[in-house]
Amino acid sequence: MKKPLQVMKFGGTSVGDAACIGRVAQIVRDASRQVPVVAVVSAMSGVTNRLIEAAIHAEAGDLERTGAAFAMLRKNHEAALRELIRSEDKRKSIAGRLDQIFAEGERLCKGTALLRELTPRTLDAISSLGERLSAPIVAGALQELAVASEAIEATELIVTDNSHGGAGPLMQRTRGCCEERVLPLLGQGVVPVITGFIGATTDGVLTTLGRGGSDYSATILGAALAADEVIIWTDVDGVMTADPRLVPEARTIPEISYLEASELAYFGAKVLHPKTLRAVQDAGIPVWIRNSFAPSRAGTKITPQGRSNGGGVKALTAIRDVALITVGGPGIVGAPDVVARTFSVTAEMRANLLLISQSSSQNDICFIVAGSDAQRTVEALRKEFSQDVAHEKVEHITVDPSIAIVAVVGENMRGVPGLAGRTFSALGRENVNVIAIAQGSSESNISFVVSEKDVKSALIAAHREFDLGARVPQEVTTSSVR
Ligand code: ADP
Ligand code: ASP
Ligand code: MG
């Protein structure tokens, strides 16, 4: 019988320093005694942010700050290496590899400074360095524990389109590369340690899958290798009923469906990259979220169907870095082209639309876009409607960046009357003003817009109303291998 293959992904905090990497190596060693394991690693925590900042300084011609950032990164990685690897020869060999990667980064930054231009392709190349640095260190830490291991850059494995900053995988080609490069290693009992976050086009140009994309790397590799499970190791106990940083009573959810987890991720639950479950959708591979700081805890199992918690609402989430744009005024009543023109502008601007709401009076069309898209979208709308504003057909086009979307999510909310009523009554009791509301016809998500300052109270009120802190049975369900 085929042994169950596990793909294990470790996020930034899980590989944040030598002590964390040591724990990761133990988790992988223990699992690899029972089943073949593929490890996928993020950059050490904070490193991708530092690299992006360095790239932006380079674009501004400030090579001094770029140099300072690289010096700091070099120090941190070398410190981890010193603590983890006892053999001097091995340490030197890994340090040599890190040197090459740093030299590449410095060359890329110098080129950027010279041209005063940071293209999406160069930004991808610079921001990929963190994963390329962490993978050899983690592989070295495994070798220290006598686990045969090899670091692999995912540019050899994950073939993508050329959408820099958010590339999508070409699965058939990816499968071919994985079968050729990874399966033989597994056959020899070697644990491949693969860089998360990155891939390469068919021409071999490095791409990234988007911020937080190592989760997606893990499921892409899981699907390509027909893994039995993907385990995403992070710094919390699993998918929780709300972000524990905002709602202290939040609890771990034992089992949740692909749809529910995707809705939560899409609406800001950082624990999972929004595209993660796309890759395993067809094969139905279960994805676990577990805590690398507390590996004895069961975590959350994400399955195609999920499991009911006995109520309609499963979890809450909030997305903060967004802006509310309103196009309106009494003059637009009965002017249907305003809607069409508004959304052709957002499409043209490639603005990421998160929520749309319009009342029947057509006084206002309001919608939410990602904060980074807001300014250029509003400028384009003002241009599109300049004549209408002059003739008072459109009265105002406004933008409010101090808002947030809160979403109430649960697949079993479908057809349960009263959930919206209970949500809004609970908010009312806490004096939280609701600015706009949307509910998709899938009925697995009620989203509403509140002022940024009210996010925490809104989450706490709804969490209490649906008794989410108590409802979740903390039973032990475990992955096939512990
Ligand atoms: P990693 O570095 O492992 O990828 P992230 O920081 O990307 O980890 O994601 C984990 C974080 O997601 C947690 O520390 C937690 O604060 C946040 N988070 C937001 N919403 C949720 C939720 N519903 N359940 C669990 N964690 C959540
Ligand atoms: N290191 C990348 C980021 O910070 C990818 C990841 O951690 O998932 O966005
Ligand atoms: Mg993450």
Side-chain angles (χ1 to χ4, degrees):
M1 205 177 82
K2 174 181 167 279
K3 281 187 171 175
L5 171 67
Q6 286 191 344
V7 173
M8 295 191 159
K9 175 257 173 178
F10 297 91
T13 39
S14 298
V15 293
D17 59 24
C20 296
I21 295 175
R23 256 192 307 274
V24 162
Q26 281 175 23
I27 291 173
V28 174
R29 178 197 56 192
D30 293 351
S32 70
R33 284 179 174 157
Q34 300 180 52
V35 291
V37 173
V38 169
V40 178
V41 291
S42 287
M44 291 170 77
S45 111
V47 168
T48 313
N49 286 345
R50 294 295 92 68
L51 288 165
I52 293 172
E53 283 159 21
I56 291 168
H57 292 317
E59 186 186 24
D62 188 349
L63 278 179
E64 207 167 302
R65 292 177 81 174
T66 303
F70 272 91
M72 177 62 91
L73 292 174
R74 203 181 266 273
K75 205 171 124 216
N76 292 346
H77 286 85
E78 283 170 0
L81 196 59
R82 251 194 324 278
E83 263 188 68
L84 286 161
I85 316 287
R86 276 163 310 181
S87 138
E88 197 176 333
D89 283 351
K90 196 177 290 161
R91 211 166 47 226
K92 270 199 183 139
S93 133
I94 300 174
R97 179 69 195 125
L98 303 190
D99 276 344
Q100 285 171 356
I101 298 169
F102 277 120
E104 204 180 313
E106 277 155 355
R107 271 199 308 278
L108 285 163
C109 285
K110 277 194 186 128
T112 301
L114 203 64
L115 297 169
R116 291 282 202 281
E117 187 190 17
L118 181 60
T119 62
R121 176 173 165 166
T122 308
L123 181 60
D124 269 358
I126 297 173
S127 45
S128 74
L129 298 172
E131 274 70 10
R132 297 177 57 206
L133 291 165
S134 65
I137 301 179
V138 173
L142 277 166
Q143 289 158 12
E144 279 297 296
L145 298 185
V147 178
S149 169
E150 182 177 328
I152 306 181
E153 301 200 348
T155 42
E156 288 187 54
L157 304 176
I158 298 183
V159 184
T160 71
D161 58 28
N162 60 3
S163 308
H164 285 285
L170 307 179
M171 281 313 288
Q172 202 139 349
R173 281 173 177 263
T174 300
R175 205 165 285 126
C177 294
C178 287
E179 281 167 7
E180 204 173 301
R181 180 79 171 92
V182 179
L183 290 185
L185 292 178
L186 295 176
Q188 295 157 27
V190 174
V191 174
V193 177
I194 302 172
T195 56
F197 186 45
I198 67 177
T201 64
T202 45
D203 299 329
V205 177
L206 187 145
T207 52
T208 65
L209 308 178
R211 292 307 308 272
S214 297
D215 300 332
Y216 195 23
S217 306
T219 50
I220 291 169
L221 292 166
L225 291 161
D228 295 80
E229 292 182 329
V230 174
I231 305 179
I232 294 180
W233 293 94
T234 183
D235 61 352
V236 282
D237 285 349
V239 179
M240 305 185 73
T241 49
D243 186 341
R245 284 180 288 202
L246 296 170
V247 181
E249 304 94 81
R251 293 284 204 94
T252 308
I253 302 170
E255 189 170 335
I256 189 168
S257 71
Y258 281 180
L259 177 73
E260 290 166 332
S262 299
E263 291 272 358
L264 289 172
Y266 184 67
F267 281 99
K270 198 184 165 216
V271 66
L272 209 60
H273 184 275
K275 292 183 190 164
T276 309
L277 297 165
R278 279 190 199 175
V280 289
Q281 199 94 38
D282 289 343
I285 301 170
V287 176
W288 289 84
I289 310 287
R290 298 184 60 186
N291 191 343
S292 73
F293 296 83
S296 61
R297 297 194 192 141
T300 297
K301 189 178 190 182
I302 310 175
T303 56
Q305 307 302 333
R307 181 151 51 93
S308 164
N309 63 355
V313 176
K314 245 331 172 21
L316 312 173
T317 182
I319 180 161
R320 292 173 114 155
D321 188 17
V322 292
L324 173 77
I325 297 179
T326 308
V327 177
I332 70 167
V333 177
D337 70 320
V338 175
V339 179
R341 284 162 61 201
T342 301
F343 293 114
S344 2
V345 168
T346 59
E348 223 169 277
M349 291 293 109
R350 298 197 157 278
N352 186 7
L353 265 180
L354 293 156
L355 179 150
I356 302 171
S357 170
Q358 190 203 349
S359 64
S360 60
S361 72
Q362 292 187 7
N363 257 356
D364 269 336
I365 303 161
C366 70
F367 55 93
I368 308 274
V369 294
S372 52
D373 296 336
Q375 203 46 44
R376 58 194 168 86
T377 305
V378 166
E379 278 162 21
L381 283 166
R382 289 195 173 132
K383 205 157 142 210
E384 167 69 29
F385 288 109
S386 59
Q387 289 296 319
D388 307 75
V389 172
H391 296 119
E392 294 178 359
K393 193 167 140 198
V394 171
E395 212 172 64
H396 59 257
I397 298 171
T398 55
V399 58
D400 181 353
S402 61
I403 53 103
I405 305 177
V406 174
V408 176
V409 171
E411 216 167 325
N412 295 333
M413 283 162 59
R414 202 170 299 139
V416 180
L419 295 180
R422 282 175 63 190
T423 306
F424 297 119
S425 308
L427 298 182
R429 282 195 297 277
E430 294 300 316
N431 269 329
V432 173
N433 179 39
V434 176
I435 299 168
I437 303 172
Q439 184 195 305
S441 58
S442 76
E443 291 185 53
S444 52
N445 178 338
I446 302 169
S447 317
F448 49 92
V449 180
V450 296
S451 165
E452 158 95 88
K453 68 172 176 24
D454 289 335
V455 170
K456 196 170 171 167
S457 352
L459 286 170
I460 290 175
H463 202 266
R464 205 161 287 154
E465 174 62 33
F466 294 109
D467 211 10
L468 295 178
R471 185 176 285 288
V472 184
Q474 297 296 295
E475 68 197 69
V476 178
T477 43
T478 56
S479 65
S480 63
V481 175
R482 307 291 310 285

